[in-house]
Every structure is written in structure tokens, then in C-alpha cells.
């Protein structure tokens, strides 16, 4: 079953379109990810899908209903976690959750299982004002609030921004379990290691979708030669590569540097030799397979350069 | 780093909120020109510790000096010697880019002439010359953060405290932001930074990892990885962050 069906969707603020002519489908039980820079239009799209904003053109059907006409029906069945906090900072942790449960005529006890993994981490602080929680703890509470009524479609706008590495891992394990219960999930994230956990991903930039595919499809479609360079002085090496005449892109990547070259049949020995002759003595060069972050950065850069 | 001058010295620093201990007797030093990564799980106490170091929150007990000044009674001097970017956004959304720059420069006592020079320099460096009269709220997050960092160090402080400066920022812009950090560190500025992106932990000279108010590990990324027998800082972090719960 198709849970979300979007056709020609456009929203303008003034003359400038925030999203233009978007079309895509999301299937039942799918985790569908949106990746793109801030301002790409993700939040605008999510607000239309959750009936909070009206489109200028095109239409969107969610759970078979129209987002404009059937908003009352949909609001009972959607869960939405906005990127900016939606909590009552003067209420305690538990009061916030109770409040959201009561709007949807349910109770914390009834759906506790659904939120347990995340909520149990902040439960020891249930009597603390939400305003006194740390940044990441607020995210966890906001997520619990979006889930408490067991929605059929969950729309999450950067739910893990500010969330620590361990909790992010646990969070995605939880999304998997929700998916197994048949809940469809639309999620945006700035973390590329999360993109790979989605069933399909859409890359969105400047209000348009550049690509929709499975994570594997996106990575295997990448044709450029990627080099990993490990150097003693990373900063100097990056500076050098940025001004190197054959450089396509240069990005620090954990403890190494990821480098794309404009020459087609370059091998790592030639590159190493060239670097050494230019005074970058202490380094190791290897050809590596591109990961999803490499591919996205390359696509985003190409699209940026074209404009 | 070619010297060992300590610019931050902390011993047994503690902060309680009622009965709850948010920062639990932490001790460490930061050297001049160092990029110091201050990592930890949500609620571990990072922001609380930073607030004490920059003189916004008084400690319950313990000692700390920043740029040679005591956090208990020299917070005014500290504020002049440091730059600070808070976890939430720190520019005025309804002012233009140029207005924000001159507002902050004014607070720090720069003259009109200095302000004009700095503004031009900054806009040029950030490639924002054509946007000088745009409102902050119309800017993408990554640009805001780059601008916020530049504004936070507009008075040439010797130390910059950055609380999750790249949270929510896309992969390309995140790396551009780190270029700004490297550049500042090359100019001997000390950088004290928190992040939840573990690849960024690798860009630091040393990192500490906080768990439940305490510093559980502190070393260079390379040493931490070998000590915890991990390929990435992500693995190191995952081993440490839930340590206390595994024991239970
Ligand atoms: N004013 C306050 N009253 C009560 N508790 C507080 C207050 N401020 C902070 N806390 C608590 O202190 C702990 C540490 O919070 P802090 O904001 O320092 O964490 P953090 O390490 O910065 O986390 P994050 O990565 O999520 O930003 C948390 O449990 C938080 O709820
Ligand atoms: Mg914090």
C-alpha cells in the first residue's frame, strides 16, 4: 500500500519556492529518509504532509486522504516531531508526555512499550522541568511525545540532531522495531551513517529532489575514483590538495582525507609519487570504495556548482 | 602546538542542582593553541561545565582558571578573554548580517573604524558580501554557524568555547566549519569544542569523554583508539558512554 503519494507539490514564500514540483511515493512500513542541506525544503514538505501548511500547487495524499481536505482525520493518525522543540518548557518531563497522550485520548501506560527504549533514558528525571533538560534529552522527550498515540505515519524532522552517538544507535534500533509493527516512517537527518539505515533515501536540495534510491543503489551508482590519504600533517596536506591543479574535492574524513581527482585513470602510486615530489613527504595513499557520505557530498557539490 | 602553556586549568570542579550532581569533580588542563574535544553522552554535563568555565554559572566546589583568571571572582576578565558559541543559536534573527557583526563588535568595545574593517573582512572571508543586508533568519543554518563563530571571536579572544557548533549542519558545511576552527588554532587560538559527530572527534588534538558528570577518558584520538582497541572514535565512545549501565 502507498502511504504517501505526492504529485507536483509546490510551496512558495513570496516569490521564492521553498519546494517546487515534488513527486514521490512512500510505501507502507518503509523508512524513507530525506537528506539535504538546511534550507533545502525538508521542513516545508514535512509540514504540508502533516497538514500544518497548505501547498500552492500540486497535491499530497497521506493514508489515502487529502492533506488539505481531510486534515482532521489525518491529525489523529500522524505523529510529527518538528526540528525545533515542541515541548512545554515549564512542564515537567512526565507532564509533557501526559499532555500529548491526553490530546489523543490515550495514556502513557497504554503505549509505554512503544516509547520504552527512548523514554526510559529520561524517565529517572521525570519530575524535572523540560527546560532544565540537556539538549539531547529534550530531543528524546519530544520523540516520545510524537509517538505516544501510536501513529500510522511518523514524520521526524532531524530527530537525532544533538543526540549522542550511543543514543542514536539505540534510536535507530527503535525505528526498526516500529517499522516491524507496520508504522511508516519519514525522517530527515544530517548524519550520513543514518541515511544508510533507511530503506530508500531522497536527496533534496534547493527545493527539488535530485535523486531517490536505496542506499545501495546510490553508492553503487558512484563512478569516480576515491582516494584515502593519511598524512602526518593533515592540515598542511589539505591546504596543499585544495590548491592542487587536479583536485576535484578534498574533505577531512575522521583520521584521513578523502580526495577526488579530475583525472580518469589515476592510480594511487602515481598520486603518491606526485604528492611526494611536491613536498608532502609522510603520507599513505589508497583507493577506497565510496561511502554514502562521499556520494552525497559529491552530488551536493555538483549541484551547487551548476547553479 | 609548540608550547606547553596551560590556558585552562580545572581541578575537582563540581556543580550540583539540588541533590543531583551534574558535573562531578572533573580535572583537566588545556594547552595554548590546542583543539580540545569535550565529548560525552546527552546529559553528561558538558554544557554545565562550559557555563562554569566561562563565568555564567558558579561552581558548587572545586577550582578552575581560564586564561589565568579565576572562575569564582574574575568572570568579567574571563568574558573578555574568551569567545563563546552556545548550543542554541547565538545571533539575532531579526537583524541583518552586517548589523549582527557591528552589534557584537560594539559590545566588545571595538571602534567604529575597527568595526567597519572587521565587517568587510569577515563578509569577504565567509563569502557573504552580497548578503550583508539580509536578515539572519533567511540564512541556511550552516552559514549562520560559520558567521556565529566568526562573530564569537571578533574581539580576538585567546580561547573559543564552541558548544555543538555543527549540530544539524550538512556534511560539506560541517567541514568548512572545521576549516575555520583549524585556521583559528593555527593562529594560536585555543579551541574548546563539543560535538556528537564522532568523525569530528578525530580532528581534535585531544578529547575527553564525560559519562554521568565525570571524565572517564582523556587522551589523543590515536591513543584512545589503541587503548580501547577500536578502529574509530565512534567505537571508543560507544564502549565508554554506557559503561555504568552495563555494570548494573
Ligand atoms: N538548571 C538546572 N536544573 C536542574 N538540572 C539541570 C539544570 N541544568 C542542567 N541540568 C541537568 O544537568 C545534567 C547535565 O546537563 P548538560 O546540559 O550539562 O548536559 P550536556 O552534556 O551538555 O548534554 P547534551 O549533549 O544533551 O547537550 C542534565 O541531567 C540536566 O538535566
Ligand atoms: Mg549540551
Amino acid at each position: 500500500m502507498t502511504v504517501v503519494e505526492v504529485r507536483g507539490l509546490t510551496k512558495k514564500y513570496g516569490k521564492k519556492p521553498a519546494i517546487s514540483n515534488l513527486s514521490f511515493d512512500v510505501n507502507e512500513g518503509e523508512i524513507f529518509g530525506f537528506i539535504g542541506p538546511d534550507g533545502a525544503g525538508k521542513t516545508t514538505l514535512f509540514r504540508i504532509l502533516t497538514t500544518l501548511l497548505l501547498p500552492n500547487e500540486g497535491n499530497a495524499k497521506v493514508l489515502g486522504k487529502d492533506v488539505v481536505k481531510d486534515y482532521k482525520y489525518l491529525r489523529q493518525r500522524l505523529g510529527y516531531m518538528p526540528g525545533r522543540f515542541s515541548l512545554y518548557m515549564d512542564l515537567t518531563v512526565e507532564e509533557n508526555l501526559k499532555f500529548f497522550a491526553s490530546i489523543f485520548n490515550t495514556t502513557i501506560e497504554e503505549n509505554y512499550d512503544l516509547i520504552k527504549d527512548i523514554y526510559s533514558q529520561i524517565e529517572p528525571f521525570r519530575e524535572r522541568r523540560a527546560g532544565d533538560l540537556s539538549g539531547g534529552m529534550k530531543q528524546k522527550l519530544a520523540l516520545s511525545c510524537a509517538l505516544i498515540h501510536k501513529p500510522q505515519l511518523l514524520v521526524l524532522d532531524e530527530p537525532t540532531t544533538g543526540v549522542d552517538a550511543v543514543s542514536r544507535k539505540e534510536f535507530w534500533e527503535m525505528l526498526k522495531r516500529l517499522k516491524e509493527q507496520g508504522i511508516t516512517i519519514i525522517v530527515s537527518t544530517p548524519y550520513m551513517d543514518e541515511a544508510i539505515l533507511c530503506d530508500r533515501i531522497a536527496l533534496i536540495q534547493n527545493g527539488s529532489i535530485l535523486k531517490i534510491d536505496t542506499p545501495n543503489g546510490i553508492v553503487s551508482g558512484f563512478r569516480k575514483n576515491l582516494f584515502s590519504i593519511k598524512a602526518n600533517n593533515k592540515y598542511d596536506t589539505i591546504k596543499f590538495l585544495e590548491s592542487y591543479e587536479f583536485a576535484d574535492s578534498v574533505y577531512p574524513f575522521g583520521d584521513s582525507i578523502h580526495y577526488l581527482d579530475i583525472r580518469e585513470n589515476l592510480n594511487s602510486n602515481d598520486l603518491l609519487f606526485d604528492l611526494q615530489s611536491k613536498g608532502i613527504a609522510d603520507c599513505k595513499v589508497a583507493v577506497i570504495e565510496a561511502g554514502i557520505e562521499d556520494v552525497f557530498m559529491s552530488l551536493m557539490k555538483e549541484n551547487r556548482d551548476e547553479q | 602546538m609548540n608550547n606547553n602553556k596551560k590556558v585552562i586549568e580545572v581541578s575537582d570542579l563540581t556543580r550540583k542542582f539540588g541533590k543531583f550532581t551534574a558535573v562531578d569533580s572533573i580535572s583537566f588542563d588545556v594547552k595554548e593553541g590546542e583543539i580540545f574535544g569535550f565529548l560525552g553522552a546527552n546529559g553528561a554535563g558538558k554544557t554545565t561545565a562550559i557555563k562554569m568555565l566561562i563565568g555564567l554559572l558558579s561552581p558548587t566546589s572545586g577550582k578552575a582558571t581560564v586564561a589565568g583568571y579565576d572562575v569564582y571572582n574574575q568572570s568579567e576578565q574571563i568574558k573578555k578573554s574568551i569567545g563563546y558559541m552556545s548550543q542554541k543559536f547565538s545571533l539575532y534573527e531579526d537583524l541583518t548580517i552586517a548589523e549582527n557583526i557591528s552589534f557584537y563588535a560594539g559590545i566588545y568595545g571595538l571602534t567604529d573604524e575597527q568595526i567597519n574593517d572587521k565587517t568587510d573582512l569577515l563578509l569577504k572571508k565567509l563569502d557573504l558580501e552580497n548578503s550583508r543586508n539580509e536578515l539572519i533568519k533567511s540564512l541556511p543554518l550552516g552559514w549562520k554557524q560559520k558567521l556565529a563563530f566568526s562573530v564569537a571571536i571578533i574581539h580576538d579572544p585567546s580561547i573559543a568555547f564552541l558548544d555543538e557548533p555543527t549540530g544539524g549542519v550538512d556534511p560539506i558545511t560541517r567541514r568548512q566549519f572545521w576549516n575555520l576552527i583549524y585556521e583559528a588554532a593555527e593562529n594560536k587560538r585555543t579551541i574548546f569544542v563539543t560535538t556528537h559527530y564522532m568523525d569530528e572527534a578525530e580532528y581534535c588534538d585531544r578529547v575527553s569523554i564525560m559519562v554521568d558528570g565525570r571524565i572517564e577518558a582523556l587522551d589523543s584520538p590515536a591513543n584512545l583508539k589503541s587503548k580501547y582497541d577500536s578502529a574509530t572514535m565512534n567505537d571508543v565512545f560507544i564502549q565508554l558512554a554506557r559503561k555504568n549501565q552495563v555494570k548494573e
Side-chain angles (χ1 to χ4, degrees):
Chain A
M1 194 186 109
T2 311
V3 171
V4 175
E5 211 181 306
V6 170
R7 295 290 174 270
L9 206 62
T10 298
K11 174 73 191 179
K12 294 179 188 141
Y13 296 112
K15 281 203 185 94
K16 211 177 132 218
I19 54 171
S20 49
N21 200 19
L22 297 187
S23 300
F24 63 92
D25 293 336
V26 179
N27 302 319
E28 184 171 10
E30 195 171 28
I31 302 183
F32 193 92
F34 279 90
I35 313 289
D38 188 76
K42 289 168 293 188
T43 301
T44 300
L45 171 65
F46 287 7
R47 294 181 64 102
I48 293 173
L49 293 181
T50 51
T51 78
L52 300 172
L53 192 68
L54 299 175
N56 296 105
E57 287 161 40
N59 62 68
K61 277 205 180 115
V62 173
L63 305 171
K65 304 277 182 183
D66 187 277
V67 291
V68 178
K69 278 187 246 130
D70 304 313
Y71 70 93
K72 277 191 184 145
Y73 173 93
L74 285 174
R75 281 184 191 174
Q76 286 294 322
R77 289 164 181 82
L78 300 180
Y80 175 46
M81 176 180 167
R84 303 277 162 260
F85 300 130
S86 50
L87 302 169
Y88 294 93
M89 295 303 168
D90 293 331
L91 298 186
T92 66
V93 168
E94 190 168 37
E95 285 165 350
N96 266 287
L97 192 56
K98 269 197 180 137
F99 174 79
F100 281 94
S102 69
I103 304 181
F104 293 105
N105 298 316
T106 179
T107 60
I108 299 180
E109 293 72 35
E110 197 173 316
N111 287 323
Y112 186 80
D113 262 4
L114 218 52
I115 60 168
K116 190 176 77 203
D117 302 328
I118 288 290
Y119 185 62
S120 62
Q121 293 167 29
I122 48 174
E123 215 174 1
F125 312 107
R126 63 179 165 270
E127 280 166 25
R128 194 173 285 174
R129 285 173 56 246
D132 288 337
L133 294 177
S134 79
M137 291 158 91
K138 285 181 187 141
Q139 289 294 89
K140 290 175 189 173
L141 177 56
L143 180 68
S144 305
C145 292
L147 257 180
I148 193 62
H149 62 293
K150 197 166 201 260
Q152 284 168 261
L153 171 69
L154 192 56
V155 178
L156 308 170
D157 199 355
E158 295 199 3
T160 55
T161 289
V163 173
D164 69 63
V166 181
S167 306
R168 288 201 296 118
K169 196 163 156 267
E170 292 164 352
F171 173 80
W172 276 85
E173 283 160 10
M174 186 189 83
L175 288 192
K176 272 233 167 87
R177 281 194 290 275
L178 293 174
K179 170 191 153 87
E180 276 156 20
Q181 300 187 33
I183 297 178
T184 306
I185 298 163
I186 293 181
V187 57
S188 66
T189 177
Y191 293 97
M192 296 300 131
D193 58 349
E194 294 181 356
I196 206 118
L197 301 172
C198 299
D199 295 311
R200 285 189 302 151
I201 333 171
L203 175 64
I204 180 168
Q205 193 162 22
N206 293 320
S208 304
I209 292 180
L210 302 184
K211 212 180 187 92
I212 299 182
D213 206 338
T214 60
N216 268 339
I218 285 178
V219 173
S220 61
F222 191 69
R223 293 272 167 262
K224 294 179 182 172
N225 265 346
L226 180 68
F227 296 93
S228 161
I229 301 176
K230 285 201 180 184
N232 242 351
N233 190 328
K234 213 163 43 183
Y235 184 67
D236 283 350
T237 310
I238 289 173
K239 280 260 124 117
F240 169 79
L241 286 170
E242 278 173 345
S243 56
Y244 188 47
E245 57 182 320
F246 301 113
D248 177 357
S249 71
V250 184
Y251 296 116
F253 228 95
D255 61 358
S256 59
I257 299 163
H258 284 191
Y259 171 73
L260 288 174
D261 194 283
I262 53 173
R263 290 166 289 186
E264 254 165 37
N265 296 314
L266 183 69
N267 68 43
S268 52
N269 278 335
D270 293 343
L271 179 61
L272 179 65
F273 188 73
D274 210 14
L275 289 179
Q276 282 171 338
S277 73
K278 301 261 167 54
I280 304 290
D282 243 343
C283 65
K284 284 189 197 134
V285 178
V287 175
I288 55 165
E289 257 178 56
I292 199 123
E293 187 152 12
D294 298 302
V295 179
F296 273 126
M297 286 200 291
S298 178
L299 287 171
M300 269 156 66
K301 183 169 172 285
E302 270 168 27
N303 192 53
R304 233 184 240 188
D305 292 347
E306 272 166 24
Q307 295 193 344
Chain B
M1 270 166 300
N2 39 20
N3 70 48
N4 281 319
K5 190 176 151 202
K6 290 170 184 164
V7 290
I8 301 176
E9 292 181 86
V10 178
S11 69
D12 294 328
L13 195 67
T14 298
R15 171 71 205 204
K16 295 185 179 173
F17 295 105
K19 282 202 191 102
F20 177 78
T21 308
V23 174
D24 190 0
S25 190
I26 59 172
S27 304
F28 63 94
D29 298 325
V30 180
K31 296 184 210 103
E32 181 172 60
E34 191 170 30
I35 302 179
F36 190 88
F38 198 55
L39 311 184
N42 296 131
K46 303 178 296 293
T47 300
T48 307
I50 290 179
K51 282 186 184 164
M52 290 193 277
L53 293 179
I54 63 174
L56 283 182
L57 183 73
S58 61
T60 307
S61 61
K63 278 194 225 140
T65 60
V66 172
Y69 299 112
D70 189 307
V71 295
Y72 284 93
N73 47 38
Q74 295 182 299
S75 60
E76 282 316 304
Q77 285 96 320
I78 289 180
K79 279 174 200 154
K80 285 186 191 128
S81 325
I82 61 128
Y84 170 53
M85 237 181 107
S86 81
Q87 188 168 354
K88 283 230 191 101
F89 188 53
S90 39
L91 298 172
Y92 291 94
E93 296 274 302
D94 290 318
L95 298 185
T96 65
I97 294 179
E99 283 165 350
N100 264 284
I101 298 175
S102 68
F103 177 80
Y104 278 98
I107 291 186
Y108 286 113
L110 273 63
T111 65
D112 285 351
E113 202 186 321
Q114 284 171 323
I115 294 179
N116 285 335
D117 289 350
K118 278 269 182 191
T119 306
D120 290 342
L121 204 77
L122 250 176
L123 292 174
K124 188 156 183 214
K125 186 168 142 197
L126 297 176
D127 218 3
L128 284 172
E129 282 157 306
N130 296 327
S131 317
R132 68 185 295 144
N133 296 322
E134 276 177 32
L135 295 182
I136 291 294
K137 65 177 169 207
S138 69
L139 280 187
L141 175 73
W143 289 21
K144 282 183 196 168
Q145 296 304 79
K146 284 191 273 182
L147 182 63
F149 176 57
S150 306
V151 165
I153 59 171
I154 202 158
H155 54 301
D156 251 339
S158 57
I159 311 171
F161 288 89
L162 314 174
D163 198 354
E164 279 186 50
T166 55
V169 175
D170 71 74
I172 294 185
T173 317
R174 226 152 51 71
R175 287 171 169 84
Q176 292 169 345
F177 192 93
W178 272 88
N179 279 340
L180 293 179
I181 292 185
Y182 275 125
E183 199 181 296
E186 286 279 299
N187 294 326
K188 281 229 179 156
R189 229 186 288 285
T190 306
I191 306 287
F192 192 92
V193 59
T194 74
T195 180
H196 290 301
Y197 291 94
M198 290 302 121
D199 60 329
E200 295 183 355
E202 306 267 7
Y203 309 155
C204 302
D205 296 312
R206 286 191 304 152
V207 302
S208 68
I209 299 181
M210 264 182 107
V211 182
D212 293 342
R214 307 186 64 94
I215 291 184
E216 289 288 346
L218 196 172
D219 213 329
S220 67
N223 287 347
L224 286 174
K225 282 186 288 183
S226 81
K227 182 168 176 205
Y228 291 91
D229 200 16
S230 303
T232 60
M233 280 305 291
N234 197 53
D235 294 343
V236 173
F237 187 87
I238 287 175
Q239 277 188 48
L240 280 168
R242 288 281 185 272
K243 204 173 144 210
N244 298 346
Q245 287 173 17
V246 175
K247 265 189 253 159
E248 276 162 19

